[in-house]
Amino acid sequence: MSRIHLLSPRLANQIAAGEVVERPASVIKEILENSLDAGASKVDVEIEQGGVKLMRVRDNGSGIDKEDLPLALSRHATSKIQVLEDLESVGSLGFRGEALASISSVSRLSLTSRQASQENAWQVQTEGRDMEATTEPAAHPEGTTVEVKDLFFNTPARRKFLKTEKTEFRHLDEVVKRLALSRFDVAFQLRHNGKVIHQLRQADSQLEQERRVANICGSAFIDNALNVDVVAEASGLRLWGWVGLPTFSRSQADLQYFFVNGRMIKDKVVTHAVRQAYADVLYHGRFPAYVLYLELDPSLVDVNVHPTKHEVRFRESRLVHDFLFRTLHRLIADMRPQDQLGGERTAENVGFEQGLQPVVAVQEPSHEQGRMAFTQRSPTRYGEGAVSSGYRSSYSQPPSQGLVNDQLAGYAALHPDSAQQTGEIDEAQEECPPMGYAVAQLHGVYILAENAQGLIVVDMHAAHERIVYERMKQSYEEDVVRSQPLLVPLSLAVSEREADCSEEYADTFKRLGFELARMGEETIVVRQVPVSLAKGNVEQLIRDVLSDMLVYGESKRIEQHINELLGTMACHGAVRANRQLTIPEMNALLRDMENTERSGQCNHGRPTWSQMTMNDLDKLFMRGQ
Ligand code: ADP
Ligand code: MG
């Protein structure tokens, strides 16, 4: 080994670059974040050859003072924080003061800037191993341009890791999209090899914002998304944005954007809470789609846990988890067929190629446990149906298969109103219900119904399965959970933290039908379990629940297991294909769908119904073309 010596500034920067500059996309992220931090309202990005040859970003932000220009390129130099305390509530995207230094050590970088107060603009570049900056006068409007050429020209090992131009551009484009979603008030333009890829104007109104989301995530997403905006008074947390309907799920987690105070992050507490909220309605292995914004007091989140700041740490992760889960769970449960039916085109949505789907905002109830009320964005378009109706079925006995069939047979009796419908719509009659009136049954599988928009096709079994399932869950919750003692109490060796946790949550376990007791520092004993779970793997369940509670502060596993059981029962109990239904029975089923939580998907996440509008049908027959 040779003697110890200080690294040259360039080498030190190149080493630091290893952390933040992985590929062109990471350079664009840093440069654009600087533009946003500088208060720009417009940024233009020009790329050549996937960013390897050239990346140029021009903004109209505050600019940099001539004297500060060389500093901007040196390491540990920032205008964004002064003292350690500033870090605890940092409002800017950057603060580490090393991005430009790192980038300029592995590329040919020039920085040109002009502040409003300055006569003309100045430009800096760095040279040699000492990274000395040379400043020259330049021509530039107010704002800043950063130009990065020949990325990794002097670090061949890194250059080898670069993928094809197409792949590198795809990554870079993704970064631009994320930032464009994070700041609706900023206009973005992206060009690649001279071609305009994105041209996004400032988006102030909700409609403009939705247009931007449609541009970036595809119009199918916004057409199949609900709008949410909830504030938790007590904690000051706010969640807003768009969540995809369960039937608009994806095979990959590629349409999941989550921003915390304007910063896009990936976080396991967040992912877990969202997945749990969708647990009951997603087909196995499918991923929900969402664009969501969480806003909270900056001092409640630590952003300095990762050099690229893709991760954050919540000071109160349980609180955040709970808020996200509750809000989204309620939103999904309260979705009704009428939320998914397109209304007529209105002046406010003609900007879209396809009519905008109902966008429903949710407000947090004044007290935590309460049911959220839907507020409709456009009351004229969605009648009273969109408001939770407080509908209660008369089905309230413990679930049993016989009852399920009785219930179906009794549809007509339960719903005298719909029983009177003959399937023909009386024009003079007041509003047609969202799912319309049954006209026929197809091959014993589908119900065909006529509604205001056209034809509705319902998968009878899938729809009924969900209705039965939701009723079983409801009656299960209303009943006190019945539990039974184990013949031989089950003794479990656990960690001390897990044992503490079992004591802390003893009440929760009890409510769910379990009786646990602590026997020693690292031993607990299970005495009583819910009747319905007595035959399952109790030990595994308890272990999984304890580990959930340690990490997330709660666990839905017990409910999930019970729900799975109920789901299986519902599936067997639901009306089978080839069962002939009368028109009143079919109408009763349609009315139930309008009033049942999560009725848009069967228990396995498949859609239960589909709409063909008159327009769709006209197209099919080339009518009026
Ligand atoms: P950080 O963003 O962490 O402060 P950077 O190396 O990215 O560190 O940037 C260094 C400094 O250069 C910033 O603190 C800021 O003062 C200045 N700067 C960089 N880009 C811009 C820009 N586009 N407009 C105005 N100032 C900028
Ligand atoms: Mg920065």
Side-chain angles (χ1 to χ4, degrees):
M1 280 230 291
S2 51
R3 303 278 306 277
I4 298 175
H5 61 98
L6 274 179
L7 299 173
S8 75
R10 166 156 278 170
L11 185 52
N13 285 331
Q14 285 172 331
I15 291 170
E19 278 187 317
V20 284
V21 189
E22 189 195 342
R23 56 185 357 153
S26 29
V27 172
I28 282 299
K29 173 176 184 288
E30 295 296 334
I31 296 178
L32 283 180
E33 288 188 348
N34 281 343
S35 296
L36 298 178
D37 282 346
S41 62
K42 186 172 181 298
V43 284
D44 288 337
V45 184
E46 206 181 319
I47 303 297
E48 277 175 30
Q49 296 181 10
V52 180
K53 176 140 186 280
L54 170 83
M55 291 176 267
R56 186 187 297 125
V57 176
R58 166 178 292 209
D59 69 48
N60 65 351
S62 60
I64 305 170
D65 191 277
K66 181 197 169 197
E67 310 293 316
D68 286 353
L69 271 176
L71 267 182
L73 297 188
S74 50
R75 196 145 156 246
H76 304 310
T78 180
S79 57
K80 300 169 192 174
I81 55 168
Q82 305 263 359
V83 290
L84 183 67
E85 287 71 50
D86 294 346
L87 244 194
E88 276 166 25
S89 55
V90 69
S92 56
L93 295 166
F95 52 80
R96 298 171 64 101
E98 58 184 13
L100 291 183
S102 299
I103 297 165
S104 66
S105 73
V106 293
S107 69
R108 299 197 168 95
L109 181 143
S110 79
L111 175 63
T112 314
S113 193
R114 180 170 155 198
Q115 287 194 318
S117 56
Q118 283 172 336
E119 293 271 297
N120 66 298
W122 296 89
Q123 186 178 70
V124 275
Q125 275 154 310
T126 50
E127 275 167 23
R129 60 195 295 271
D130 295 330
M131 297 203 68
E132 260 165 52
T134 51
T135 311
E136 287 166 8
H140 194 278
E142 201 185 319
T144 304
T145 293
V146 181
E147 198 177 84
V148 177
K149 284 184 181 161
D150 306 323
L151 184 65
F152 300 144
F153 78 98
N154 54 356
T155 50
R158 299 229 96 193
R159 203 167 50 220
K160 279 202 208 104
F161 280 98
L162 291 176
K163 299 282 185 318
T164 61
E165 170 174 341
K166 217 173 127 204
T167 306
E168 290 305 332
F169 184 74
R170 197 166 40 76
H171 284 284
L172 191 151
D173 184 35
E174 183 62 27
V175 166
V176 175
K177 285 176 177 178
R178 288 176 186 180
L179 286 160
L181 283 176
S182 79
R183 290 288 300 273
F184 289 107
D185 56 334
V186 177
F188 287 84
Q189 190 191 64
L190 173 65
R191 280 189 299 168
H192 188 211
N193 297 333
K195 205 176 124 208
V196 176
I197 308 293
H198 296 296
Q199 178 80 272
L200 303 165
R201 277 173 291 155
Q202 284 186 355
D204 300 323
S205 69
Q206 174 152 356
L207 181 70
E208 288 167 335
Q209 296 184 355
E210 278 164 8
R211 191 173 294 148
R212 179 177 286 198
V213 174
N215 254 315
I216 293 172
C217 305
S219 50
F221 169 69
I222 206 79
D223 287 347
N224 288 284
L226 290 185
N227 176 221
V228 60
D229 192 348
V230 176
V231 178
E233 298 287 333
S235 53
L237 299 177
R238 177 181 176 209
L239 182 73
W240 63 280
W242 297 266
V243 288
L245 298 172
T247 41
F248 183 74
S249 61
R250 318 267 301 169
S251 61
Q252 291 166 35
D254 59 346
L255 221 165
Q256 304 189 334
Y257 295 95
F258 198 92
F259 301 86
V260 175
N261 290 345
R263 189 189 299 278
M264 161 101 187
I265 56 121
K266 301 242 180 247
D267 178 80
K268 72 179 197 324
V269 172
V270 169
T271 315
H272 186 267
V274 177
R275 208 179 39 222
Q276 254 187 6
Y278 275 90
D280 215 11
V281 290
L282 269 197
Y283 200 67
H284 188 70
R286 303 285 297 177
F287 296 87
Y290 51 85
V291 176
L292 285 171
Y293 304 82
L294 177 69
E295 286 168 15
L296 72 171
D297 183 339
S299 65
L300 292 177
V301 33
D302 185 356
V303 290
N304 189 29
V305 290
H306 195 272
T308 59
K309 310 180 203 82
H310 281 309
E311 289 167 26
V312 293
R313 199 179 295 127
F314 295 109
R315 299 252 145 84
E316 306 209 36
S317 62
R318 290 179 181 191
L319 183 82
V320 170
H321 186 280
D322 190 53
F323 173 63
L324 292 178
F325 170 75
R326 270 169 197 261
T327 306
L328 297 177
H329 183 73
R330 196 67 254 160
L331 179 74
I332 293 165
D334 284 343
M335 286 176 187
R336 294 292 183 278
Q338 42 274 43
D339 298 329
Q340 293 171 52
L341 286 167
E344 296 122 53
R345 282 176 160 237
T346 58
E348 53 171 333
N349 72 19
V350 282
F352 278 90
E353 306 233 315
Q354 294 151 299
L356 233 192
Q357 295 296 307
V359 175
V360 180
V362 178
Q363 282 165 350
E364 175 93 327
S366 44
H367 56 102
E368 285 277 287
Q369 300 294 333
R371 194 186 175 89
M372 288 177 197
F374 278 112
T375 50
Q376 294 146 336
R377 212 169 58 124
S378 160
T380 46
R381 280 165 59 203
Y382 330 110
E384 293 192 348
V387 180
S388 309
S389 62
Y391 167 97
R392 275 283 162 150
S393 85
S394 53
Y395 175 86
S396 61
Q397 281 142 54
S400 80
Q401 298 212 7
L403 226 138
V404 172
N405 288 323
D406 291 354
Q407 178 229 336
L408 187 76
Y411 257 134
L414 281 172
H415 300 265
D417 290 350
S418 49
Q420 275 152 24
Q421 297 302 339
T422 57
E424 275 166 49
I425 298 179
D426 179 354
E427 292 285 321
Q429 213 186 332
E430 48 346 319
E431 259 180 68
C432 175
M435 298 291 283
Y437 296 112
V439 289
Q441 190 182 13
L442 198 63
H443 287 277
V445 179
Y446 298 107
I447 295 172
L448 307 184
E450 180 178 358
N451 72 349
Q453 288 81 12
L455 174 71
I456 290 253
V457 184
V458 173
D459 179 333
M460 200 172 87
H461 172 71
H464 191 229
E465 185 182 302
R466 168 62 75 179
I467 291 167
V468 174
Y469 176 47
E470 289 299 328
R471 288 187 183 165
M472 283 181 163
K473 281 199 296 188
Q474 203 172 52
S475 65
Y476 188 86
E477 279 161 27
E478 282 163 7
D479 266 5
V480 184
V481 179
R482 278 184 298 145
S483 68
Q484 74 181 40
L486 289 172
L487 215 53
V488 186
L490 177 67
S491 165
L492 293 180
V494 296
S495 73
E496 194 177 339
R497 281 179 67 207
E498 285 170 332
D500 290 346
C501 183
S502 76
E503 284 186 317
E504 188 183 338
Y505 291 97
D507 281 351
T508 313
F509 278 111
K510 198 158 183 193
R511 193 171 47 77
L512 293 164
F514 284 93
E515 198 187 301
L516 307 185
R518 187 166 187 165
M519 298 308 280
E521 223 156 67
E522 300 186 338
T523 316
I524 57 172
V525 60
V526 186
R527 295 221 171 87
Q528 206 146 303
V529 300
V531 175
S532 51
L533 296 180
K535 290 202 189 77
N537 187 342
V538 173
E539 169 167 357
Q540 193 58 48
L541 182 61
I542 297 281
R543 286 189 188 285
D544 290 349
V545 169
L546 285 175
S547 102
D548 276 358
M549 282 171 167
L550 280 177
V551 182
Y552 307 110
E554 66 159 336
S555 175
K556 292 273 175 286
R557 278 183 206 267
I558 298 173
E559 284 102 319
Q560 268 163 19
H561 274 249
I562 292 172
N563 285 350
E564 259 166 44
L565 276 169
L566 296 179
T568 312
M569 285 163 72
C571 182
H572 291 301
V575 51
R576 287 280 146 202
N578 290 324
R579 178 148 166 353
Q580 218 51 50
L581 296 185
T582 64
I583 293 279
E585 281 175 330
M586 290 190 259
N587 279 329
L589 185 70
L590 296 174
R591 298 296 78 77
D592 271 349
M593 289 179 71
E594 287 158 4
N595 290 308
T596 301
E597 298 196 334
R598 307 172 189 85
S599 68
Q601 314 84 40
C602 77
N603 304 350
H604 313 287
R606 285 189 294 268
T608 55
W609 62 278
S610 180
Q611 165 96 67
M612 286 187 86
T613 64
M614 292 308 283
N615 245 335
D616 298 336
L617 291 166
D618 287 350
K619 270 196 209 126
L620 210 55
F621 295 97
M622 299 186 217
R623 241 171 176 270
Q625 283 180 13

